[in-house]
């Protein structure tokens, strides 16, 4: 949950990344993706009961990767790297991690919003779902960024409302704040999104660094007793296997029987995103999520020096190689193998 933020800010946004400011035509959707891709097969997703369901009303499990902060690692998100993620890794979803502070959105709202637009288009072209992550982290109360979030998500929802391959993650890891404050934030922001996009699922971060409160000595009962008053939403859960043991695993197991949960971030390492991997504990989580059809996204698709970044340092600056395992750290090899296993998306 608590990650050490990189101090190098050399990865500024540049025009050579090919930002596109042209909105898609009215009614644009993911249906233009090649037949057989995750977004083409499943279409627009919807929360049904405690599951995430596809256009056929059948529960699905998405598996994929999160970017690191766009202000540091935009060079890791290229045509080549996303081709590898979609076609070599066989990922279903790309989480677009937009930090708000720490050199992120608040420093250049226009530039970062345009970068997110472009990444949505790039994921769409490859038949992946685009999970737009409002990566508030410090300060931990999402209400601090409510007006910024309303501005950002209103534009994203207005431009991309016709797409069928979106998910909105509106509060990455609330921390130092109780569930009631997070709920109040969600109930302010969700109507702003729904005014332009009534159909896309919205994911709501939970207290204790999106641990359902476990990291704060609480548990899922706070959410169960006081759920967000909105439809077509899910609650997020994050874990780092080397730090978060049976108490966290049990909370995810219990909560997912009662409320819809999406694991929008996890790692095989410690909560800092660094340190030794605990693949055994991580596999316990993956087994549970497979059995209960809980979608997940791994942290992170970059070449940061920490063990949680899948690529070896220097990979992104050298433009790969992206496919295969030659450029991957141990955690990258492990997670690629688990994303590559065939999807089982029901269609009737």
């Amino acid at each position: 949950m608590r990650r050490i933020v990189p101090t190098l800010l050399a990865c500024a946004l540049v025009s050579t990344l090919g930002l596109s400011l042209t909105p898609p035509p009215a009614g644009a959707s993911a249906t233009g993706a090649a037949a057989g891709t995750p977004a083409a097969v499943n279409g627009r997703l919807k929360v049904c009961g405690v599951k995430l369901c596809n256009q056929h009303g059948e529960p699905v499990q998405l598996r994929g990767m999160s970017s690191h902060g766009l202000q540091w690692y935009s060079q890791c998100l290229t045509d080549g790297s996303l081709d590898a993620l979609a076609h070599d890794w066989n990922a279903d979803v790309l989480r677009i991690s937009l930090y708000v502070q720490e050199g992120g959105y608040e420093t250049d709202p226009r530039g970062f919003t345009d970068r997110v637009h472009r990444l949505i288009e790039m994921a769409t072209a490859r038949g992946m779902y685009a999970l737009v992550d409002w990566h508030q982290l410090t300060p931990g109360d999402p209400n601090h960024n409510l007006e910024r979030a309303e501005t950002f998500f209103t534009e994203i929802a207005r431009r991309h409302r016709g797409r069928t391959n979106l998910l909105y993650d509106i509060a990455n890891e609330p921390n130092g704040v109780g569930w009631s404050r997070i709920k109040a934030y969600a109930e302010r922001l969700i109507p702003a999104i729904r005014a332009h996009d009534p159909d896309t699922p919205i994911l709501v971060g939970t207290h204790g660094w999106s641990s359902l409160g476990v990291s704060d000595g609480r548990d899922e009962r706070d959410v169960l007793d006081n759920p967000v008053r909105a439809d077509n939403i899910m609650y997020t859960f994050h874990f780092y296997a080397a730090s978060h043991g049976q108490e966290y695993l049990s909370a995810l197991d219990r909560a997912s029987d009662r409320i819809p949960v999406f694991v929008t971030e996890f790692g095989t390492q410690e909560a800092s995103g660094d340190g030794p991997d605990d693949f055994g504990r991580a596999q316990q989580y993956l087994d549970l999520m497979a059995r209960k059809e809980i979608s997940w996204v791994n942290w992170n698709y970059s070449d940061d020096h920490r063990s949680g970044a899948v690529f070896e340092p220097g990979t992104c600056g050298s433009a790969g190689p992206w496919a295969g395992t030659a450029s991957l750290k141990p955690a990258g090899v492990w997670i690629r193998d688990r994303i590559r296993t065939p999807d089982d998306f029901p269609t009737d």
Side-chain angles (χ1 to χ4, degrees), residues 8 73 75-76 274 302-322 326-330:
L8 296 177
Y73 294 100
Q75 77 274 27
C76 297
D274 203 2
S302 84
D303 64 351
D304 178 48
H305 70 276
R306 297 173 182 84
S307 57
V310 296
F311 293 111
E312 292 286 357
T315 300
C316 298
S318 301
W322 304 115
S327 298
L328 298 179
K329 296 173 189 166

Side-chain angles (χ1 to χ4, degrees), residues 136-157:
Q136 59 71 223
L137 192 61
T138 304
D141 185 346
N143 291 281
H144 177 82
N145 289 306
L146 176 59
E147 291 185 3
R148 295 183 183 95
E150 287 176 332
T151 298
F152 171 75
F153 279 108
T154 293
E155 178 169 335
I156 296 297

Side-chain angles (χ1 to χ4, degrees), residues 160-184:
H160 300 284
R161 62 186 178 272
R163 297 193 189 275
T164 60
N165 66 318
L166 285 184
L167 294 159
Y168 302 120
D169 185 356
I170 63 172
N172 165 57
E173 285 188 343
N175 58 87
V177 65
W179 169 246
S180 62
R181 289 282 292 166
I182 304 164
K183 176 177 181 287

Side-chain angles (χ1 to χ4, degrees), residues 263-287:
V263 174
T264 49
E265 183 179 312
F266 82 91
T268 57
Q269 310 78 27
E270 297 171 349
S272 64
D274 203 2
D277 296 293
D278 188 339
F279 294 134
R281 175 68 74 181
Q283 189 63 54
Q284 289 182 306
Y285 277 101
L286 262 61
D287 291 344

